[in-house]
Amino acid sequence: MKSPYFDDGHATFREEVRAFLAAEVMPYAAGWEERDTVPAPVWKLLGERGYLGLLHPRAVGGGERDLFTSVVFLEELGRTGFGGLRAAVSVHAYMATPYLARVGGHDLCREYLAPAVRGERLAALAITEPGAGADLSGLGTTAVRDGGHFVVDGTKSMVSNGMTADFLVTAVRTAAAGPRGATGLSLLVIDTTLPGVARTPQRTLGWRSAGTATVTLDAVRVPADRLVGRLDNGFYYLMRGLQLERLVAATLALGGMDRGLDELRGFLRAREVTGEALAHKQALVHRVADLATELTAARHLVHHTAWLYEQGELPALECSMAKLHTTELACRLADTALQLQGSHGYLETSFAARAQRDARAATIAAGPSEVMRDLIGRAVLNQPADRDAHARML
Ligand SMILES: Cc1cc2nc3c(=O)[nH]c(=O)nc-3n(C[C@H](O)[C@H](O)[C@H](O)COP(=O)(O)OP(=O)(O)OC[C@H]3O[C@@H](n4cnc5c(N)ncnc54)[C@H](O)[C@@H]3O)c2cc1C
């Protein structure tokens, strides 16, 4: 039966990506986690394969491929089970650089996006601050125009790739917040080599190797032509970018869950207790059945959302639902998989233990579950009562 979303080209690409990750990532990624970083040569390799620019325009060396090519790549990246690597690559290719591709203008694309696609310059996205995360209206990092520069002051935290990034796509306040929300924000590209930029590592529970950092910006003079898009329009760009972030987070979670279920299945078949394989114990079989059913439902939701996105709509509601459902399911799956593998799952180096550490991050980053529920709940409660309208919205 043909998939409505994937064709033979996607299948071939999946094999290619899986083989690449098996050869170039899986043997080494645990070491990267210990050193809190993805080494520079890996970025070059990813760039040479075209994996850092699948969605980006050909003019900057990107592949301009369809969204389902990225879905394949992200599912396979998710399957590696290394959350830090997943975060590092997805922040670079799908969360920070898309702003340059969409509204960055020719010079920013040439100077930052093209080398980012080649894996030569590493990007990070700096929105969150110690005093404001989910609520963008509370962002306090300021950028004040001074001749041909902006002077930037503030602190960003939880910046994935923060320790290694060559540049930060940074949310800054260029005007006071309007009465109805988080307006007055702009996006600036900030070189991490500029005087006044300082970085401190943040040790996190999971997503090790993502190089998470606090970045302080102390009177950093940023050339005015590093403004991304239009002044004071950052909030609108972020609202759009966040939908892709959520879809990407959901897709990575899918890949991780596929692998987690594979690992669990292998263990339950091989492990014998009281003379029979665990896979024959009904109590465990039912738990696997529930997880597999929910995972299948999650897959349909994510793929359908990607399809809507590909049609040129901005399916904000579905992106929130996909993110909420898959990232929370990933936590449940990781927890169950660890429990059913007993002490084998509890070993720090086991797939299940890593999955549990890493899954927790994804229900917070790119919008916590509570915010997703808020957005979904409001949209559902405010929509018209007639069933056709309901179907259109969902
Ligand atoms: C591993 C990891 C990597 C990250 N990477 C990046 C990055 O690369 N760049 C970046 O800018 N940020 C990054 N973040 C930050 C992330 O986007 C924020 O953590 C997130 O937006 C929540 O902000 P906060 O942590 O400040 O929590 P807060 O905004 O203080 O919220 C705390 C908690 O309150 C609840 N809450 C918040 N708002 C609401 C609401 N409206 N309704 C109901 N409940 C609510 C939620 O439970 C939330 O978890 C990362 C976070 C993590 C965990």
Side-chain angles (χ1 to χ4, degrees), residues 83 87 91 95 123-136 139 156-162 169 171 202 204-208 210 212-213 242 245-246 323 357-358 360-375 378:
V91 163
M95 300 180 190
L125 181 65
I127 302 174
T128 305
E129 300 177 358
D135 176 15
L136 295 182
L139 293 183
K156 296 292 178 182
S157 71
M158 295 305 296
V159 181
S160 305
N161 291 340
V169 176
Q202 288 179 298
T204 51
L205 174 69
W207 287 19
R208 298 174 187 171
T212 308
L242 275 169
E245 273 197 43
R246 289 168 187 160
K323 204 266 180 184
R357 289 197 302 273
D358 288 341
R360 289 304 289 112
T363 59
I364 300 171
S369 289
E370 291 70 23
V371 174
M372 296 301 98
R373 286 198 170 83
D374 222 33
L375 294 170
R378 281 169 204 264

Side-chain angles (χ1 to χ4, degrees), residues 180-350:
R180 298 193 58 208
T183 50
L185 298 175
S186 300
L187 297 181
L188 273 186
V189 172
I190 301 183
D191 270 72
T192 51
T193 51
L194 285 176
V197 178
R199 308 186 259 191
T200 315
Q202 288 179 298
R203 190 91 181 119
T204 51
L205 174 69
W207 287 19
R208 298 174 187 171
S209 82
T212 308
T214 298
V215 183
T216 54
L217 304 159
D218 182 10
V220 182
R221 292 186 69 78
V222 181
D225 61 6
R226 307 286 156 85
L227 178 70
V228 184
R230 294 169 59 179
L231 191 71
D232 298 340
N233 277 233
F235 177 71
Y236 305 106
Y237 301 145
L238 289 170
M239 284 303 101
R240 191 181 172 87
L242 275 169
Q243 308 315 321
L244 181 61
E245 273 197 43
R246 289 168 187 160
L247 178 56
V248 165
T251 311
L252 290 166
L254 269 190
M257 287 191 281
D258 271 338
R259 171 89 187 282
L261 200 57
D262 280 356
E263 297 272 329
L264 177 60
R265 198 167 30 212
F267 180 86
L268 296 178
R269 281 183 186 155
R271 183 79 173 168
E272 291 205 355
V273 172
T274 60
E276 64 174 359
L278 285 173
H280 292 131
K281 301 216 175 279
Q282 196 180 49
L284 308 192
V285 170
H286 283 188
R287 292 182 78 176
V288 171
D290 286 345
L291 290 174
T293 304
E294 285 196 74
L295 176 53
T296 300
R299 191 186 320 284
H300 287 300
L301 175 58
V302 173
H303 289 170
H304 175 66
T305 305
W307 179 80
L308 287 175
Y309 196 102
E310 181 83 327
Q311 305 313 302
E313 294 190 28
L314 195 59
L317 181 60
E318 287 81 358
C319 287
S320 296
M321 288 176 166
K323 204 266 180 184
L324 172 67
H325 184 59
T326 53
T327 58
E328 293 209 338
L329 179 59
C331 290
R332 290 203 298 282
L333 194 147
D335 191 53
T336 304
L338 193 154
Q339 177 67 21
L340 301 194
Q341 292 177 69
S343 60
H344 308 271
Y346 194 67
L347 291 175
E348 196 188 353
T349 51
S350 78

